[in-house]
Amino acid sequence: QSVLTQPPSVSTAPGQKVTISCSGSSSNIGIHYVSWYQHLPGTAPKLLIYDDNKRPSGIPDRFSGSKSGTSATLGITGLQTGDEADYYCGVWDSSLSAEVFGGGTKLTVL
Amino acid sequence: QVHLVQSGAEVKKSGASVKVSCKASGYTFTAYYIQWVRQAPGQGLEWMGWINTDSGDIKYAQTFRGRVTMTRDTSISTAYMELNRLTSDDTAVYYCARSSPLDYWGQGTLVTVSS
């Protein structure tokens, strides 16, 4: 059972938008920056969002991040079939002294 | 550009050890930590620990403490992760990643543990 809670799956149609939630606690999301990763099968995870809402160079502005209290959200607009992947949130947890990840959310673009 | 290239797939027997390497290029190796993350089949990402590539300081996840050793060789910009007393539960893809955040990842190393 993950320290961070994500929905196991979300699905939507091409061109639409989706949000993926990540719920944590005061020892992780509440006080540390959140990152989001995209993971396609057979490839290395890719950093999409860091410091709650910053995008690395090369990541399109269709991807966005936000945080409120002990929850974070990844938003994706203009969905494409190529966005089908597993998405993970990650953050440092001060109580555990460990990096923790959500259980992952499988995005299906129907 | 930044690259992290990991060693190849391994097949090990239960009780054995495995050592995975992660060679960095395209940046100053000692300027960033290296973290290790694994993904077991059908499971999510699991953090294993990090190594300060400059000082050699390490931080291991509680789950792996006593079984994992992370080291580095700055002369060849390479980090290593050794996991001992392998069981079938250790069958997974092991990743190294530059941090923080985890902005560049190695391609992953599949470690298969058989009885």
Side-chain angles (χ1 to χ4, degrees):
Chain A
Q1 193 162 349
S2 303
V3 172
L4 306 178
T5 301
Q6 295 182 233
S9 62
V10 294
S11 61
T12 190
Q16 298 300 304
K17 65 180 179 180
V18 71
T19 59
I20 297 172
S21 61
C22 176
S23 178
S25 69
S26 57
S27 64
N28 45 64
I29 293 179
I31 55 173
H32 294 292
Y33 286 125
V34 177
S35 297
W36 288 91
Y37 304 91
Q38 179 190 62
H39 193 196
L40 285 83
T43 69
K46 177 195 291 187
L47 176 67
L48 291 178
I49 298 290
Y50 68 100
D51 288 359
D52 297 340
N53 55 22
K54 297 181 174 61
R55 280 177 289 107
S57 61
I59 300 300
D61 59 7
R62 299 189 299 110
F63 296 90
S64 64
S66 64
K67 187 172 83 174
S68 178
T70 59
S71 292
T73 301
L74 173 70
I76 312 173
T77 61
L79 277 163
Q80 305 167 3
T81 54
D83 296 327
E84 287 198 333
D86 296 321
Y87 291 84
Y88 294 89
C89 54
V91 65
W92 184 258
D93 188 295
S94 292
S95 293
L96 298 174
S97 288
E99 182 80 10
V100 292
F101 295 99
T105 298
K106 183 175 183 60
L107 170 64
T108 302
V109 182
L110 300 168
Chain B
Q1 62 272 41
V2 175
H3 286 295
L4 296 176
V5 178
Q6 299 182 221
S7 49
E10 304 261 14
V11 179
K12 297 291 183 181
K13 293 284 192 184
S14 290
S17 299
V18 68
K19 190 170 186 176
V20 179
S21 66
C22 171
K23 182 169 178 59
S25 62
Y27 72 98
T28 300
F29 179 67
T30 51
Y32 295 83
Y33 286 30
I34 290 287
Q35 303 206 31
W36 291 88
V37 175
R38 76 177 186 180
Q39 184 178 38
Q43 304 297 310
L45 301 177
E46 181 178 25
W47 182 74
M48 299 182 70
W50 54 247
I51 181 166
N52 180 328
T53 52
D54 187 25
S55 67
D57 287 346
I58 46 86
K59 176 74 172 178
Y60 299 142
Q62 179 73 34
T63 306
F64 300 100
R65 226 165 277 171
R67 275 209 309 142
V68 70
T69 304
M70 294 177 188
T71 56
R72 92 285 190 224
D73 185 338
T74 58
S75 69
I76 56 172
S77 299
T78 300
Y80 303 91
M81 186 284 299
E82 183 172 24
L83 191 60
N84 303 314
R85 302 192 300 278
L86 293 168
T87 72
S88 57
D89 289 341
D90 295 314
T91 293
V93 178
Y94 290 77
Y95 295 99
C96 62
R98 191 183 83 162
S99 75
S100 291
L102 304 177
D103 56 358
Y104 290 93
W105 295 63
Q107 82 277 19
T109 296
L110 174 62
V111 176
T112 304
V113 183
S114 65
S115 53

